Amino acid sequence: FDFYGNLLFAVEQRIYSFIVSKGYCHMALDEGKSILIDESSDNIMKARIAHNLVLYGGVDHIKLKYNNNLEVLNNAVMPEEGRTDPIPDGITAVNSKTIPMTVKHNLVHTFPGSWPLDVSKHFTSADHPARLDQNYYTGGGAVRDELPGISEVSSVFRDPAALDFRAASELPSGAGVDEAILTKIFEMVEDYGVQVAATGWRHDHVKMVETIVESAPAEHLSGPTVGDSKKEKGKQALWFEVVSDFYKDLCKCSRLELIPPEEYWEASGRR
C-alpha cells in the first residue's frame, strides 16, 4: 500500500468499544486512530506512509503495526491542545515484534503527557542514519529512549495557528510534508469549502458511564454490583448478571463486566 499526500483531521472516538462476545467492556477511548495499519506477514510487498498531514486526532495519529519494508516518511502531525484521557500521541509503534521499517523526516508537535515519536523499540543507534533520521518533535511530549535521528527542537512548523504546516525555517531541508503537496492539499480545501479545524469536543466519562448503566436492558441484565475486576487487576468493575438466554448466547457468559475510568469512581462515590 501507498498512503501518500493526504489530509486527515478531527478523527476521534466518542463511544466505548464493546465486543459482547468478550464478556467485558474496558471503558476507555482507545480507538479512532487517524492512520492505523494492520499486521501483514507478506515479506515482498512495499508499504509507505508519506507526506500526510494528520491533525487534531483523538488518540494516536499514526499507529504502526508489523509490515515488512515499511517506510514512514515526511509526515506532519499535530493534535488539538487541551485533550485529556486520552492525551493524543503522534507516531507510535508499540508492538511485540520488531518492525523492519524506515522512519525519516517526520515532524510531530504533541503536548505534555504524550508520546510524539514512540518507535524506539524498533531501532538502535546503529540504524542512524540509514533507517532512522531527521525526525523532529516539540510541544512537551517525551520519548522512551534517546536515539540519534529523533530530536526535540523549539518548533517544527512555521505557523500552525494559520494552518501553515511547512517545516520551521531552522530545520534541515527536506523535513516534513513537501511544500508542493501542502499547497495542493490546501487548494483542494479551498475548492471544496472544507474547514480544517479541531472539533473542540471533550469526552465526559462520568456522564457516559452513567448513561450506559441507566439504560441497561432489564429483560437481559440485572444489577450492577461493584466488585473487583477480573480483566484489570487492581481495579474495580461494575458487574451485571446476565438473565436472558439471548444475552447468554451473545456473550457466552453469565456475568458482564464493565470497567469504568477512575474519574467515574471519584465522582459517583459508589466504591
Side-chain angles (χ1 to χ4, degrees):
F1 60 83
D2 190 11
F3 205 81
Y4 185 94
N6 298 280
L7 166 65
L8 297 95
F9 67 95
V11 178
E12 58 192 16
Q13 176 191 11
R14 295 194 176 187
I15 59 174
Y16 305 128
S17 301
F18 181 29
I19 301 173
V20 179
S21 60
K22 289 185 175 181
Y24 72 92
C25 176
H26 187 229
M27 294 172 143
L29 297 180
D30 54 3
E31 302 294 346
K33 285 85 171 176
S34 302
I35 298 176
L36 168 64
I37 59 172
D38 283 331
E39 290 194 14
S40 171
S41 58
D42 189 333
N43 293 322
I44 300 174
M45 78 169 191
K46 299 283 186 173
R48 181 172 68 165
I49 301 171
H51 292 281
N52 299 290
L53 179 58
V54 192
L55 307 173
Y56 317 137
V59 284
D60 311 52
H61 284 67
I62 302 177
K63 176 73 171 181
L64 307 172
K65 295 187 178 181
Y66 186 89
N67 282 265
N68 267 302
N69 308 309
L70 177 61
E71 296 181 331
V72 184
L73 312 172
N74 294 92
N75 299 286
V77 170
M78 182 172 171
E80 176 186 2
E81 188 172 9
R83 279 184 175 266
T84 59
D85 200 16
I87 298 171
D89 295 320
I91 301 173
T92 63
V94 182
N95 300 75
S96 58
K97 294 189 292 185
T98 301
I99 305 174
M101 62 180 171
T102 298
V103 178
K104 291 184 176 183
H105 312 301
N106 298 285
L107 305 180
V108 181
H109 181 97
T110 58
F111 297 98
S114 69
W115 301 110
L117 285 152
D118 196 7
V119 299
S120 59
K121 172 182 177 179
H122 309 281
F123 298 97
T124 69
S125 57
D127 294 314
H128 172 265
R131 294 198 302 119
L132 183 69
D133 194 31
Q134 292 191 18
N135 299 284
Y136 300 99
Y137 71 95
T138 189
V143 294
R144 295 181 195 271
D145 300 292
E146 299 288 340
L147 284 173
I150 299 178
S151 303
E152 185 175 14
V153 293
S154 60
S155 61
V156 289
F157 302 123
R158 302 247 180 121
D159 189 2
L163 300 181
D164 185 351
F165 291 98
R166 291 177 296 170
S169 56
E170 60 268 26
L171 293 180
S173 175
V177 180
D178 184 87
E179 288 192 21
I181 295 174
L182 286 174
T183 298
K184 182 63 176 177
I185 284 173
F186 283 101
E187 285 176 352
M188 294 180 68
V189 164
E190 184 174 356
D191 288 347
Y192 288 94
V194 176
Q195 182 181 4
V196 180
T199 65
W201 178 79
R202 297 293 183 269
H203 187 73
D204 187 336
H205 282 286
V206 175
K207 183 178 179 181
M208 177 68 77
V209 175
E210 289 175 345
T211 299
I212 291 171
V213 171
E214 291 168 3
S215 61
E219 67 270 29
H220 300 298
L221 300 170
S222 69
T225 58
V226 176
D228 293 336
S229 170
K230 280 184 64 178
K231 185 66 181 177
E232 297 285 338
K233 300 302 182 185
K235 292 188 176 182
Q236 289 189 299
L238 297 173
W239 288 93
F240 285 91
E241 300 296 325
V242 182
V243 298
S244 72
D245 291 338
F246 176 68
Y247 262 43
K248 286 177 181 177
D249 185 58
L250 281 178
C251 72
K252 303 295 188 288
C253 63
S254 60
R255 303 173 79 204
L256 279 177
E257 177 183 2
L258 305 185
I259 310 164
E262 186 63 28
E263 63 192 87
Y264 168 76
W265 298 115
E266 293 173 355
S268 67
R270 297 191 65 166
R271 185 156 46 193

